[in-house]
């Protein structure tokens, strides 16, 4: 794989020049400079990609038995596993994520594809007993052509979470990665090619959201859109897809509460809470960006957050020693710094960080120091809105009821964590948290088999697990008369 040049789109099993797009320099957020040249497509490219996905769906893919789909997916997964290092390098160049994090994340993806491959030949329906006159049964059939629209923070993970279940279900795909970070998704095309997937089953067309993305959403040849990104974008997408009544799955933002009760093993809780405040430079919807701390351990937690912020090695993404790279693009850097100003004006205590790091090697990159706000009130904007930067907002609370009220007191409901050594409290509190996933005495544990998605404004539907597979299937009910007799309605 040539890491620096992805100058063609992957459509119909071929590497093609963009028809009404072109090429662009892809920016390395650690230097602010172009590191490679990447193809992007426009509406005409989306049209060809959808036509090729439709042809593949009606042609070879639909006819392939599930176990053969599974075999191809396994071959792809095995190849993917051999390319983790390469893929991680590409992704870290493109979005600035520390290579140790990219390796850890991408190193798991082959297992996602394997797990969904194992379901590809098990899509059975049910028989429905009624009476002797009919035989009724259901079949699970693929939803058809799926448009996948993915974000810049975790392009390959977002793709794996969608491609695994979609291919297992028998769908075909047009994948449109985010304009800021398209390179790693194009690299997937080479692996699909090498694995021997029929042409057109997976098509990859980077492009601008409001152009290529919007066209994909509105396209009558696309049956479903699987989207990960911002809530505001999801609302626009809903409107563009309304005319064709698309199926949608949405994985949107979060403002996850990470609750530390005084009876917890506080050192363990701190490992998880600090890790998840600054992982991916704060750019993941599941991170515990609100740290809720019970009063008796509040001072200790605040002090430790400050101390540990100084232990985070901010550095170049490809340096294995780096804990935290830059923000993925300039607009995100500006957004984070703006929220720091908002937090200060709102009266939260900025204890450390909050500034751009621009000395020496960092001068042109989008680096922000790990940031800690304490004494944050639950209704402040920094506690309500998704910042997507390395900013921890620490909020004190007293007792379970207040913890639950604060935890549930945002429009989001994606993820939550709680730390306690009281097993009854763990269950009591977990059962009342409005979030699609609740971690108890752990954090950010996600696997192929564990459903993931949001309550409230954090999304529609679930990725991973059997639920994800369901979202790429339609149920057909077939009712067969055993008599062949149908009464004449007008006989009497
Ligand atoms: P962010 O604002 O953080 O970049 P977005 O939600 O806008 O996040 O981006 C996620 C994905 O949505 C990207 O692939 C982007 O190109 C795409 N996108 C943005 N706007 C639209 C749109 N109007 N229609 C379809 N896709 C879009």
């Amino acid at each position: 794989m040539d890491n620096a040049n992805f100058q063609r789109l992957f459509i119909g099993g071929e590497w093609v020049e963009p028809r009404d797009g072109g090429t662009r320099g892809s920016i390395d957020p650690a230097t602010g400079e172009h590191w490679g040249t990447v193809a992007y497509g426009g509406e005409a490219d989306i049209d060809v990609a959808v036509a090729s996905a439709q042809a593949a769906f009606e042609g070879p893919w639909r006819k392939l038995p599930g176990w053969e789909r599974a075999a191809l997916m396994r071959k792809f997964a095995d190849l993917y596993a051999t390319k983790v290092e390469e893929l991680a390098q590409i992704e870290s160049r493109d979005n600035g994520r520390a290579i140790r994090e990219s390796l850890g994340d991408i190193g798991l993806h082959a297992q996602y594809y394997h797990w969904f491959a194992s379901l590809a030949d098990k899509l059975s329906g049910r028989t429905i007993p009624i009476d002797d006159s009919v035989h009724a049964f259901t079949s699970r059939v693929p939803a058809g052509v799926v448009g996948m629209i993915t974000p810049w923070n975790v392009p390959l993970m977002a793709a794996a979470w969608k491609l695994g279940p979609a291919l297992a279900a028998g769908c075909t795909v047009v994948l449109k990665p985010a304009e800021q970070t398209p390179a790693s998704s194009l690299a997937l095309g080479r692996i699909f090619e090498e694995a021997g997937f029929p042409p057109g089953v997976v098509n990859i067309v980077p492009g601008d959201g409001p152009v290529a993305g919007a066209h994909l959403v509105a396209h009558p040849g696309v049956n479903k859109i699987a989207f990960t990104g911002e809530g505001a974008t999801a609302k626009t997408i809903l409107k563009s897809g309304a005319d064709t009544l698309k199926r949608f799955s949405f994985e949107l933002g979060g403002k996850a509460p990470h609750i530390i009760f005084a009876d917890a093993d506080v050192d363990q809780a701190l490992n998880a809470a600090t890790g998840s405040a600054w992982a991916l430079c704060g750019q993941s919807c599941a991170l515990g960006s609100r740290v809720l701390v019970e009063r008796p351990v509040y001072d200790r937690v605040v002090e430790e957050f400050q101390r540990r912020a100084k232990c985070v090695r901010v550095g170049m993404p490809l340096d294995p020693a780096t804990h935290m790279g830059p923000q993925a693009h300039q607009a995100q850097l500006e957004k984070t710094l703006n929220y720091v100003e908002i937090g200060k004006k709102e009266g939260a205590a900025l204890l450390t960080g909050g500034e751009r790091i621009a000395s020496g090697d960092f001068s042109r990159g989008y680096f922000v120091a790990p940031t800690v706000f304490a004494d944050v009130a639950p209704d402040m904007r920094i506690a309500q809105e998704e910042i997507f930067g390395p900013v921890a907002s620490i909020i004190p609370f007293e007792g379970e009821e207040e913890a639950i009220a604060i935890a549930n007191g945002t429009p989001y409901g994606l993820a939550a964590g709680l730390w306690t050594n009281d097993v009854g409290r763990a269950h009591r509190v977990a059962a009342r948290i409005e979030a699609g996933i609740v971690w108890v005495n752990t954090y950010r544990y996600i696997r192929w088999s564990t459903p993931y998605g949001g309550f409230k404004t954090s999304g529609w539907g679930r990725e991973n697990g059997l639920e994800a597979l369901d979202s790429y299937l339609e149920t057909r009910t077939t009712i067969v008369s055993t008599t062949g007799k149908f009464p004449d309605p007008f006989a009497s």
Side-chain angles (χ1 to χ4, degrees):
M1 247 181 252
D2 178 349
N3 286 2
N5 291 295
F6 299 92
Q7 299 186 9
R8 287 164 180 249
L9 309 172
F10 186 59
I11 299 179
E14 310 269 335
W15 292 94
V16 299
E17 302 271 350
R19 284 170 172 75
D20 63 357
T23 55
R24 271 187 199 155
S26 195
I27 290 176
D28 176 345
T31 62
E33 286 169 4
H34 291 165
W35 72 278
T37 307
V38 181
Y40 70 97
E43 295 186 354
D45 300 291
I46 292 291
D47 286 340
V48 182
V50 171
S52 108
Q54 284 178 303
F57 183 71
E58 294 304 336
W61 197 237
R62 186 168 230 177
K63 295 188 189 99
L64 216 57
W67 59 270
E68 286 194 36
R69 277 204 314 277
L72 275 170
M73 288 180 69
R74 288 197 180 284
K75 199 162 168 204
F76 172 86
D78 286 338
L79 281 167
Y80 194 106
T82 67
K83 297 182 197 296
V84 167
E85 178 80 39
E86 247 175 307
L87 293 168
Q89 297 251 350
I90 297 170
E91 198 148 288
S92 285
R93 284 305 288 275
D94 236 3
N95 73 2
R97 187 174 181 189
I99 189 76
R100 61 163 72 191
E101 280 187 351
S102 298
L103 284 169
D105 165 23
I106 295 169
L108 286 176
H109 296 176
Q111 203 50 44
Y112 281 83
Y113 289 103
H114 275 299
W115 193 76
F116 281 104
S118 72
L119 300 173
D121 59 356
K122 299 176 189 64
L123 306 177
S124 31
R126 307 182 279 136
T127 54
I128 301 170
I130 302 170
D131 60 37
D132 285 351
S133 68
V134 291
H135 178 53
F137 62 96
T138 61
S139 316
R140 322 221 31 233
V141 296
V145 175
V146 179
M148 300 181 175
I149 300 181
T150 50
W152 43 261
N153 59 341
V154 283
L156 286 176
M157 188 182 91
W161 289 14
K162 294 169 179 54
L163 284 164
L167 295 173
C171 296
T172 58
V173 174
V174 177
L175 168 64
K176 194 215 75 67
E179 43 274 60
Q180 300 89 345
T181 59
S184 60
S185 301
L186 279 172
L188 282 181
R190 316 252 172 106
I191 312 177
F192 279 113
E193 206 176 15
E194 205 177 330
F197 268 69
V201 172
V202 178
N203 305 275
I204 304 166
V205 183
D208 290 326
V211 182
H215 196 62
L216 184 62
V217 175
H219 202 296
V222 175
N223 302 82
K224 169 186 163 124
I225 293 290
F227 170 77
T228 301
E230 274 193 61
T233 314
K235 288 178 194 169
T236 307
I237 286 178
L238 262 180
K239 288 175 194 146
S240 330
D243 278 346
T244 48
L245 281 174
K246 289 275 180 313
R247 275 84 181 114
F248 287 109
S249 50
F250 288 139
E251 204 266 270
L252 308 177
K255 193 75 189 174
H258 202 146
I259 309 169
I260 304 175
F261 285 101
D263 66 19
D265 183 333
V266 175
D267 285 332
Q268 301 303 315
L270 275 162
N271 290 344
T274 53
S276 103
W278 300 313
L280 283 93
C281 206
Q283 301 166 136
S284 163
C285 39
L287 299 179
S289 50
R290 289 187 297 153
V291 187
L292 279 49
V293 188
E294 203 167 20
R295 276 284 180 202
V297 292
Y298 183 74
D299 290 345
R300 177 176 163 200
V301 168
V302 168
E303 206 170 292
E304 267 299 294
F305 254 84
Q306 282 184 86
R307 189 185 69 76
R308 293 181 189 216
K310 307 269 186 268
C311 303
V312 178
R313 277 193 301 273
V314 178
M316 290 299 146
L318 296 189
D319 180 347
T322 293
H323 291 137
M324 194 177 96
Q327 299 259 257
H329 56 90
Q330 190 166 355
Q332 194 51 46
L333 167 75
E334 286 159 11
K335 184 175 170 193
T336 300
L337 296 176
N338 186 41
Y339 269 110
V340 171
E341 289 312 308
I342 291 170
K344 287 198 274 190
K345 282 202 193 95
E346 287 178 311
L350 176 61
L351 299 183
T352 183
E355 76 279 353
R356 181 174 187 177
I357 307 177
S359 56
D361 286 353
F362 297 110
S363 61
R364 279 164 304 147
Y366 311 138
F367 295 90
V368 179
T371 300
V372 179
F373 275 111
D375 301 339
V376 175
D379 59 350
M380 288 180 182
R381 284 183 66 192
I382 58 166
Q384 287 288 322
E385 298 172 18
E386 197 173 34
I387 300 174
F388 241 50
V391 181
S393 296
I394 310 182
I395 305 172
F397 72 85
E398 280 176 53
E400 264 174 52
E401 286 304 319
E402 194 183 12
I404 294 165
I406 297 172
N408 291 339
T410 78
Y412 293 111
L414 186 62
L418 65 101
W419 289 81
T420 174
N421 276 331
D422 175 340
V423 73
R425 164 176 280 171
H427 283 282
R428 251 187 340 263
V429 176
R432 290 182 55 198
I433 301 272
E434 295 163 354
I437 192 159
V438 181
W439 292 290
V440 179
N441 294 343
T442 184
Y443 204 83
R444 282 178 77 214
Y445 187 96
I446 298 172
R447 289 294 181 272
W448 37 89
S449 48
T450 53
Y452 181 84
F455 284 25
K456 303 197 287 188
T457 63
S458 287
W460 284 3
R462 293 292 177 270
E463 301 203 276
N464 304 328
L466 297 175
E467 286 79 354
L469 189 66
D470 280 346
S471 78
Y472 293 91
L473 292 165
E474 296 276 9
T475 297
R476 178 191 295 119
T477 303
T478 307
I479 299 174
V480 181
S481 163
T482 56
T483 66
K485 304 262 185 271
F486 199 93
D488 178 348
F490 310 113
S492 55

